[in-house]
Amino acid sequence: MARIVGAVTTSHVPAIGNAFAKGLQNEPYWKPFFGPWDRVHAWLDSVKPDAAVVVYNDHGLQFFLDKLPLFAVGAAAEYRNADEGWGLPTLPPYRGDAGFSWHLIESLAADEFDLTTCQEMLVDHAFTVPLKLMWPHAAACPVRTVPVAVNTIQHPLPSPARCFKFGRALGRAVESYDEDLKVVVVGTGGLSHQLDGTRAGFINREFDLMCMEKIVDDPVALTRYSIAELVELAGTQGVEFINWLIARAALPGRVSKVHANYHVPISNTASGVMVLENRP
Ligand code: DHB
Ligand code: FE
């Protein structure tokens, strides 16, 4: 059976992709962000996942304001990257696993989640930057992938409580797959940031650190926030934290923190990175 080895949660700021492209990882601005990824790489080397289920939000590349699903799951043989406007170099296609995807979709639908299924899907920086951070030296992403896109763009967004239930159902879906796959769940976005409006540049360190603490042992405590409260506390784009909550909720076993790094700022964002291990 498939088994979830843990979760990697990380910010997905496009500037990180540009720093990779220009080889800036050891520059003073970037080192506090890139340096601690050694710990993530050591963990990935020890658990050796075969597949990544990537919970992220599309920013207008695949879905735009005219049609925007709350939850969309990829079911393609491969996923292509495109530059959605940040000047990012386009990365090689990502290997999918349509059989695994359809199992997840069937299981989530049976669990009463109404999904959009995507047999073609372009993936943006929120998908590509985290996978590049996880496997920086591979020419192409070395694991099979399933993109799970969550609407964090156009209200109404799925509430943190709804996202938690979705994550629980996603975990059940993964672990009921009849193939010996080791799966890492990736949750991307956050932490606090706001790119627009009068609060542009808003950061809330205290709230972010509380979230990074609670998400380990008491994630349910984070489900009491409404989306409006998350916007107020974390910024309009800080709501991307719901992707972290889904990834955490997908871990069905005993969860322990392997690694955490918090660094402000990366571009306009408070960057957070965590590795949460899942034991049966
Ligand atoms: C930035 C952060 C994001 O999450 C994003 O999607 C785009 C830009 C930023 O801080 O620059
Ligand atoms: Fe974003």
Side-chain angles (χ1 to χ4, degrees):
M1 299 300 283
R3 188 169 67 77
I4 297 176
V5 293
V8 173
T9 56
T10 176
S11 305
H12 60 219
V13 179
I16 299 165
N18 284 322
F20 267 120
K22 294 181 188 145
L24 304 179
Q25 293 92 324
N26 289 315
E27 297 287 314
Y29 181 86
W30 288 105
K31 197 156 176 75
F33 174 77
F34 279 104
W37 274 88
D38 288 354
R39 304 267 305 279
V40 186
H41 303 149
W43 181 75
L44 288 169
D45 282 347
S46 73
V47 295
K48 295 186 176 45
D50 308 295
V53 175
V54 184
V55 183
Y56 73 109
N57 58 288
D58 182 88
H59 297 73
L61 174 71
Q62 175 60 69
F63 306 115
F64 199 60
L65 305 182
D66 57 337
K67 300 176 196 73
L68 196 34
L70 265 66
F71 297 112
V73 180
E78 72 167 26
Y79 304 96
R80 289 189 175 265
N81 173 218
D83 170 20
E84 73 279 19
W86 299 94
L88 292 167
T90 300
L91 294 167
Y94 294 79
R95 202 162 25 114
D97 180 338
F100 184 36
S101 285
W102 281 113
H103 169 80
L104 299 184
I105 290 163
E106 295 276 0
S107 178
L108 285 162
D111 250 329
E112 301 181 353
F113 283 93
D114 307 319
L115 308 169
T116 299
T117 53
C118 303
Q119 297 186 66
E120 289 182 351
M121 200 175 190
L122 289 171
V123 288
D124 76 3
H125 67 270
F127 180 93
T128 63
V129 164
L131 292 172
K132 184 69 184 167
L133 283 163
M134 289 166 71
W135 290 284
H137 303 301
C141 176
V143 300
R144 319 175 207 178
T145 57
V146 179
V148 177
V150 180
N151 173 22
T152 69
I153 300 291
Q154 176 161 264
H155 296 256
L157 313 184
S159 70
R162 180 73 175 149
C163 286
F164 196 83
K165 288 182 192 157
F166 182 80
R168 283 282 184 243
L170 181 62
R172 285 193 291 275
V174 171
E175 293 215 327
S176 61
Y177 188 54
D178 191 14
E179 191 184 325
D180 291 332
L181 274 186
K182 284 186 283 180
V183 179
V184 61
V185 185
V186 184
T188 94
L191 290 171
S192 60
H193 62 303
Q194 171 144 346
L195 302 178
D196 46 18
T198 52
R199 290 205 312 165
F202 177 78
I203 299 278
N204 188 344
R205 175 185 291 267
E206 201 182 325
F207 182 72
D208 291 338
L209 294 177
M210 184 279 293
C211 288
M212 287 177 81
E213 188 201 315
K214 288 282 181 206
I215 202 166
V216 183
D217 291 326
D218 189 15
V220 173
L222 301 171
T223 64
R224 71 178 170 85
Y225 294 103
S226 66
I227 287 291
E229 287 168 331
L230 263 192
V231 167
E232 191 175 328
L233 289 162
T236 41
Q237 280 71 39
V239 287
E240 292 174 345
F241 181 69
I242 58 179
N243 300 330
W244 286 44
L245 212 45
I246 292 171
R248 168 62 183 87
L251 310 184
R254 275 191 299 120
V255 172
S256 57
K257 180 172 78 179
V258 173
H259 171 65
N261 184 39
Y262 181 75
H263 175 68
V264 182
I266 289 298
S267 185
N268 300 293
T269 297
S271 70
V273 177
M274 294 187 82
V275 175
L276 299 172
E277 189 162 78
N278 178 62
R279 286 181 191 283

